[in-house]
Amino acid sequence: MASVQRDYYEILGVPRTATQDEIKKAYRRLARQYHPDLHTGARKTPMEEKFKEVNEAHEVLGDPEPRKKYDQFGHQWREAEAYQRARQEAGAGAAPNWETGAEFTAGEGADFSDIFERFFGGRAGTGGGATFRGFTAPGADLEASVRVTLQEVLTGATRRLELLEPVQCTACSGTGKQQGKVCTACGGTGFREETRTIEVKIPAGVHDGTRLRVAGKGAPGIQGGRRGNLYLRIHVEPDRVFHRRGDDVHVTLPVWPWEAALGAEVLAPTLTDPVRVKVPPRSRSGKELRLKGKGLPTQSGGRGDLFYTLQVDLPPTVSEEEQKLYEQLARLPHPDPRADLLKEARHG
Ligand SMILES: [Zn+2]
């Protein structure tokens, strides 16, 4: 018997004597419980598997005809049917003894592989005439969120991730049963959740919302099938100093009035070490200074720019001497800085 398939009655939690109505009720209850839309994070994948399992069980047991055949032949009922038909056509004897799990190759007409495609979202291992024991199926894709800082966007980063993944229960070999009773190790599910630690590399230049594909790091495949993929959803944490716009970075740079008026060389932050920046004489608030190539990595392998927006500020305290200098400045003739504003307002 293929060890990955659990008994349909057990999956639905009903006795073999259950009425069609009882089967339908059990199915509806479990489908609601396991519905993938109701689960997130590491729980989503095992719940999806259970949901598929419940649906598969209901597809067979919910219909009296297939149910009768399932009761007789178990999971191989479709193949049994095809086999019996083939034997009858060939005028041969009875069907093999299914209970001993005789090796069996499905004929051309058997839709055996369809079952597994529906079951695991993948393809059975071999082509037409798949052998019952030889099938493989790829594992499910997993999804995880990763938060990175802007510094890490600049350099790239490595993350260790702990993923919960379903592994076949060793106590019952995935059958969910031990000596005819529900397996106590896994509660009859046939699998346990195990923590797997993996290391992933986040490339430089990622954006908030980027979805990274890490090939072959998803859930394990069935019977040697390849692993699914891992998808990383990137969240770039907002930074208090550096504001990202595409691959450019913007910084508000405060300057004193005399630095703005006379010009100055000031120390300014970059994503790495601070650099000396020239503030030209007579710079006004809002003026932008650009440091070419000091932004974030671009997809084409270059770098964005770093922009400083000057903000003319006043020191929080004023000394007596400064007070006198301001008064001196105030006495000198100046145009009204609000003249344009007042003119505009009249026309509006
Ligand atoms: Zn078990």
Side-chain angles (χ1 to χ4, degrees):
M1 298 282 284
S3 59
V4 288
Q5 275 188 295
R6 286 171 58 209
D7 182 75
Y8 286 156
Y9 288 98
E10 215 177 281
I11 290 167
L12 295 181
V14 294
R16 300 188 89 80
T17 53
T19 63
Q20 288 305 122
D21 200 44
E22 284 167 341
I23 286 171
K24 191 192 282 179
K25 275 183 188 153
Y27 163 70
R28 283 185 180 162
R29 187 175 51 79
L30 291 171
R32 267 200 301 273
Q33 187 182 338
Y34 294 142
H35 199 285
D37 290 353
L38 301 176
H39 302 278
T40 53
R43 284 185 66 75
K44 199 175 174 70
T45 303
M47 287 302 132
E48 250 165 28
E49 294 298 321
K50 284 189 185 183
F51 185 69
K52 280 181 197 170
E53 205 177 42
V54 163
N55 274 303
E56 179 73 20
H58 176 253
E59 248 171 63
V60 176
L61 300 189
D63 190 339
E65 261 319 292
R67 182 185 174 187
K68 215 164 77 188
K69 287 169 188 157
Y70 176 78
D71 287 346
Q72 190 183 355
F73 298 114
H75 283 301
Q76 298 101 319
W77 65 272
R78 284 176 213 255
E79 292 71 38
E81 210 182 8
Y83 188 78
Q84 269 187 331
R85 220 172 25 235
R87 299 277 290 199
Q88 275 160 14
E89 278 164 19
N97 180 0
W98 298 101
E99 289 310 307
T100 61
E103 199 76 43
F104 175 76
T105 301
E108 205 57 41
D111 49 358
F112 175 73
S113 61
D114 292 350
I115 300 178
F116 286 95
E117 270 177 53
R118 260 184 293 145
F119 231 104
F120 301 109
R123 183 166 286 284
T126 52
T131 65
F132 191 83
R133 290 167 180 234
F135 81 89
T136 63
D141 290 337
L142 298 178
E143 200 135 358
S145 292
V146 175
R147 301 188 78 88
V148 294
T149 63
L150 219 49
Q151 309 294 323
E152 290 174 318
V153 172
L154 177 71
T155 57
T158 308
R159 278 283 189 291
R160 286 172 84 84
L161 295 181
E162 291 203 334
L163 303 171
L164 274 182
E165 68 174 27
V167 292
Q168 186 174 293
C169 174
T170 46
C172 64
S173 307
T175 58
K177 273 186 292 189
Q178 268 182 312
Q179 284 141 14
K181 290 192 177 128
V182 172
C183 172
T184 49
C186 61
T189 58
F191 60 84
R192 297 174 295 109
E193 281 187 337
E194 202 166 76
T195 307
R196 177 165 57 106
T197 306
I198 61 160
E199 213 163 74
V200 292
K201 280 202 157 58
I202 319 284
V206 288
H207 285 262
D208 192 57
T210 296
R211 197 163 174 260
L212 281 181
R213 178 172 169 272
V214 188
K217 294 288 183 186
I222 307 292
Q223 300 219 1
R226 64 163 178 80
R227 272 184 180 273
N229 298 320
L230 172 65
Y231 289 92
L232 299 179
R233 176 76 65 180
I234 302 294
H235 294 286
V236 179
E237 285 175 6
D239 193 279
R240 281 182 20 216
V241 174
F242 302 99
H243 302 281
R244 183 182 199 174
R245 273 183 228 160
D247 299 315
D248 296 333
V249 172
H250 291 252
V251 175
T252 300
L253 193 70
V255 289
W256 295 139
W258 50 92
E259 289 175 329
L262 307 172
E265 213 178 75
V266 301
L267 202 59
T270 73
L271 288 166
T272 53
D273 293 326
V275 293
R276 299 203 77 85
V277 174
K278 267 204 169 90
V279 177
R282 289 179 301 285
S283 288
R284 299 170 73 176
S285 218
K287 183 184 175 63
E288 242 177 20
L289 306 178
R290 181 167 77 150
L291 280 191
K292 230 174 141 38
K294 291 288 182 189
L296 292 164
T298 64
Q299 278 195 327
S300 55
R303 286 273 297 271
D305 300 332
L306 175 57
F307 291 91
Y308 296 109
T309 305
L310 299 185
Q311 188 181 55
V312 180
D313 206 352
L314 284 179
T317 56
V318 180
S319 69
E320 219 173 292
E321 201 184 345
E322 282 171 317
Q323 180 70 24
K324 277 182 190 150
L325 289 169
Y326 279 130
E327 282 165 4
Q328 222 176 309
L329 262 179
R331 279 195 292 273
L332 295 173
H334 295 109
D336 184 349
R338 286 142 319 254
D340 284 351
L341 193 74
L342 292 164
K343 214 162 104 190
E344 291 282 321
R346 265 206 306 276
H347 285 293

